[in-house]
Amino acid sequence: MAATTSLLFPLLLLLLLPLSQATTFVITNNCSQTIWPAATPYGGGVELLPSQNWTITTNTTNSTSGIIWARTNCTFDSSGNGTCLSGDCSGALNCTSRPSSPVTVVEYSLYQWGNNDFYDISLTDGFNLPVAITPTGPGNCSAVKCTGNISGECLPELRAAGGCKSACDVYKTDEYCCNKVGSCSPTKYSRFFKSFCPNAYSYAMDDPTSTFTCTSGGDYRVTFCP
Ligand SMILES: *[C@@H]1O[C@H](CO)[C@@H](O)[C@H](O)[C@H]1NC(C)=O
Ligand SMILES: *[C@@H]1O[C@H](CO)[C@@H](O)[C@H](O)[C@H]1NC(C)=O
Ligand SMILES: *[C@@H]1O[C@H](CO)[C@@H](O)[C@H](O)[C@H]1NC(C)=O
Ligand SMILES: *[C@@H]1O[C@H](CO)[C@@H](O)[C@H](O)[C@H]1NC(C)=O
Ligand SMILES: *[C@@H]1O[C@H](CO)[C@@H](O)[C@H](O)[C@H]1NC(C)=O
Ligand SMILES: *[C@@H]1O[C@H](CO)[C@@H](O)[C@H](O)[C@H]1NC(C)=O
Ligand SMILES: *[C@@H]1O[C@H](CO)[C@@H](O)[C@H](O)[C@H]1NC(C)=O
Ligand SMILES: *[C@@H]1O[C@H](CO)[C@@H](O)[C@H](O)[C@H]1NC(C)=O
Ligand SMILES: *[C@@H]1O[C@H](CO)[C@@H](O)[C@H](O)[C@H]1NC(C)=O
């Protein structure tokens, strides 16, 4: 009896171990041009040629969150110092700060209450590249995709180098930035973004149609230009 238990216990532990691993994001450049994807606080940033992958891993199974985006038309010197047309993070190749707008941002929150991951695509800082995030673990979790010619079709007043800015970034008003709690609704500008990407955040309070969830423990694929 006791022998069986002491044999079973390590076996059970081995079975449970894979459930408590850090989360991996495989980031793929499916664009026809080179991009410089970036991620904080896990990852930093790299140059990624077409069809190459970059894998980043979180270092904890505690509740944590982060963002992933891509930069375009960058030049860096040998010390990793430079500039990008869009998505720049204070000139560093290996990002530790948030990107400048316009930029399409993938957001994730892992191991939240009830063992849930939350993930979304946010256009609240505008749009620079199409992107998709796809859960690859077990379970029936939805992929989220934002594609469409948003840069090309951008409203003239939001147009910017490398993409299309959000109204919040251009006008910085409480209405567009949802700065006043409980008083924020769609505007013609958020509707413009929503018309291209119905599953992405088009303004800060756009939760019902824009936030997705999956049981924690699985990994993700992030594809630029899906
Ligand atoms: C995990 O990564 C974060 C962000 O890179 C870092 O601040 C933290 O010190 C790391 N923790 C451990 C235990 O390595
Ligand atoms: C990028 O910065 C992170 C810390 O944010 C560090 O762990 C990593 O080694 C750096 N990568 C390179 C290539 O320097
Ligand atoms: C990149 O990742 C994708 C999806 O995970 C995989 O199908 C592909 O083989 C990988 N490509 C390379 C060059 O490793
Ligand atoms: C996870 O959280 C616990 C309690 O807050 C903390 O003691 C531990 O260091 C954290 N682990 C990591 C890997 O961050
Ligand atoms: C950005 O890079 C792309 C691809 O290399 C190129 O076609 C485009 O002209 C560049 N845009 C600017 C403003 O330099
Ligand atoms: C990057 O450039 C800035 C301004 O030219 C300089 O102050 C900084 O030391 C450089 N950083 C590195 C890592 O070379
Ligand atoms: C998976 O989820 C989709 C939509 O959330 C639903 O339509 C489908 O029936 C689900 N499939 C299974 C096998 O549960
Ligand atoms: C995107 O929109 C612009 C402006 O309407 C147009 O010139 C361009 O051909 C479009 N690109 C694609 C791929 O549809
Ligand atoms: C990559 O882009 C091509 C179109 O250029 C598309 O057909 C394909 O489905 C994309 N692959 C992924 C994994 O999104």
Side-chain angles (χ1 to χ4, degrees):
M1 207 49 184
T4 320
T5 318
S6 62
L7 263 178
L8 265 177
F9 190 63
L11 271 178
L12 274 175
L13 265 183
L14 276 177
L15 285 173
L16 288 171
L17 270 176
L19 294 175
S20 58
Q21 274 171 359
T23 304
T24 291
F25 294 83
V26 177
I27 296 158
T28 302
N29 179 8
N30 195 46
C31 306
S32 54
Q33 79 270 25
T34 299
I35 60 172
W36 289 259
T40 65
Y42 307 103
V46 295
E47 178 184 68
L48 203 61
L49 302 180
S51 86
Q52 281 187 342
N53 292 331
W54 176 44
T55 301
I56 66 172
T57 306
T58 63
N59 60 8
T60 178
T61 53
N62 284 347
S63 164
T64 191
S65 60
I67 60 171
I68 299 167
W69 74 96
R71 296 162 287 174
T72 60
N73 299 70
C74 302
T75 53
F76 291 104
D77 64 21
S78 54
S79 64
N81 223 352
T83 54
C84 302
L85 184 64
S86 68
D88 203 5
C89 63
S90 313
L93 172 58
N94 194 13
C95 292
T96 53
S97 60
R98 288 190 66 90
S100 58
S101 98
V103 63
T104 318
V105 177
V106 170
E107 305 177 306
Y108 62 83
S109 295
L110 309 174
Y111 293 97
Q112 306 299 301
W113 44 269
N115 208 36
N116 284 303
D117 291 356
F118 295 88
Y119 52 98
D120 64 76
I121 297 171
S122 173
L123 305 178
T124 58
D125 286 313
F127 175 98
N128 68 335
L129 280 178
V131 70
I133 174 167
T134 309
T136 54
N140 186 23
C141 307
S142 303
V144 191
K145 196 193 248 195
C146 176
T147 58
N149 192 4
I150 296 183
S151 299
E153 303 284 330
C154 187
L155 299 168
E157 58 271 40
L158 303 183
R159 201 157 282 168
C164 189
K165 286 198 172 198
S166 69
C168 172
D169 285 325
V170 172
Y171 298 110
K172 300 181 165 57
T173 62
D174 287 347
E175 182 195 9
Y176 295 136
C177 299
C178 297
N179 289 335
K180 289 184 182 153
V181 179
S183 65
C184 187
S185 35
T187 63
K188 78 163 177 172
Y189 295 117
S190 70
R191 286 194 191 95
F192 162 77
F193 285 100
K194 204 72 179 168
S195 69
F196 288 92
C197 295
N199 296 322
Y201 273 87
S202 61
Y203 66 105
M205 299 292 142
D206 199 6
D207 306 279
T209 53
S210 317
T211 191
F212 291 81
T213 184
C214 194
T215 301
S216 301
D219 295 324
Y220 294 86
R221 201 153 61 216
V222 172
T223 307
F224 289 97
C225 308

